[in-house]
Amino acid sequence: MATWASDALPPADDDATAYDDDAIPADGILLQRGGTGPAGESIARETGQAPSLYVVIHNIKSSDNVGQLIRTAGAFGAREVLVVSAERTARRMRKNLRTFGAHGSDKRVPMRAFASLAQLIAWVKSQGCRVVGVEIDDSAVSCFAPEAWPVQPTCLLPGNEGDGLSQAQIELCDALVYVPQYAAATASLNVNAATACVLSCFAHAVGYAEEKRRGAKFDVRDPLHALWRPKS
């Protein structure tokens, strides 16, 4: 992915935490917008706490799909969207941050950008996450299967539009899931459509509560960046 293409403006200084020098930090985090917010924390189960969900955007070619994936991740309670960018410095990443298609959800879903997929995976493992890839593969289980979703923090890794997950990406995953199809009309779904199906299955399986609705729309909360900015 070259950039997050969009006509959106780069984030203001108080909306993002970035490293201003050209050196990649040791943890690989180039940019952080909003921090770890309450998206998953506020969705409580009847007893206990629902596990956190992270969604990865890596090697996505279409600019439309980038923003749409952020929007989809937000709708299903992702705690953060994690991005691997071709922009190799924080300064360039900050300048070229684009979220076309997010329709404002990028202001409500915290995002964290990494210099490499390996550093991203190391970070989610440090959060206790199970990494689940989305791929049509002989080893994958249906996203509707109860055994697909143990109740534990999960990081979802969708494949890209043309080739899906590479073998190197598959080897980073703890498990694979796929979306069943029921007619021979197409070989696979668009990455955003497939991700939406999988996230809906996860949210239901682990006990996320449905968001409140008003008329024909779901409630929209205030931007997390403002709500969760560290207090002075």
Side-chain angles (χ1 to χ4, degrees), residues 72 88 95:
T72 296
R88 302 302 294 174
K95 179 181 178 181

Side-chain angles (χ1 to χ4, degrees), residues 209-226:
E210 185 177 315
E211 187 55 77
K212 295 178 181 178
R213 291 171 287 170
R214 295 185 184 184
K217 301 286 186 179
F218 286 94
D219 282 352
V220 175
R221 304 185 185 187
D222 291 337
L224 296 186
H225 300 323

Side-chain angles (χ1 to χ4, degrees), residues 79-97:
R79 185 181 178 96
E80 289 188 31
V81 168
L82 309 176
V83 178
V84 180
S85 175
E87 304 294 355
R88 302 302 294 174
T89 69
R91 183 179 289 113
R92 289 179 60 191
M93 181 71 199
R94 187 179 175 88
K95 179 181 178 181
N96 294 314
L97 177 65

Side-chain angles (χ1 to χ4, degrees), residues 13-33:
D13 287 345
D14 60 355
D15 278 344
T17 297
Y19 301 90
D20 291 329
D21 60 358
D22 288 337
I24 296 175
D27 60 6
I29 299 174
L30 295 176
L31 180 70
Q32 183 177 338
R33 294 183 61 181

Side-chain angles (χ1 to χ4, degrees), residues 28-67:
I29 299 174
L30 295 176
L31 180 70
Q32 183 177 338
R33 294 183 61 181
T36 296
E41 295 169 1
S42 64
I43 305 172
R45 309 183 69 196
E46 291 182 6
T47 58
Q49 181 65 57
S52 299
L53 169 66
Y54 299 87
V55 177
V56 177
I57 296 179
H58 174 53
N59 199 27
I60 299 298
K61 298 176 181 178
S62 168
S63 59
D64 289 344
N65 282 334
V66 172

Side-chain angles (χ1 to χ4, degrees), residues 88-168:
R88 302 302 294 174
T89 69
R91 183 179 289 113
R92 289 179 60 191
M93 181 71 199
R94 187 179 175 88
K95 179 181 178 181
N96 294 314
L97 177 65
R98 300 293 183 265
T99 53
F100 181 81
H103 292 272
S105 57
D106 55 316
K107 294 296 185 182
R108 302 181 184 95
V109 182
M111 290 184 285
R112 194 181 300 252
F114 291 82
S116 72
L117 182 60
Q119 289 168 316
L120 184 156
I121 295 297
W123 185 85
V124 297
K125 290 291 187 180
S126 75
Q127 307 302 303
C129 283
R130 175 175 178 257
V131 179
V132 178
V134 182
E135 185 60 88
I136 301 171
D137 185 85
D138 290 341
S139 65
V141 300
S142 167
C143 61
F144 293 100
E147 64 269 21
W149 306 117
V151 181
Q152 67 182 93
T154 297
C155 177
L156 193 74
L157 177 61
N160 79 357
E161 300 92 332
D163 303 319
L165 293 177
S166 68
Q167 186 57 41

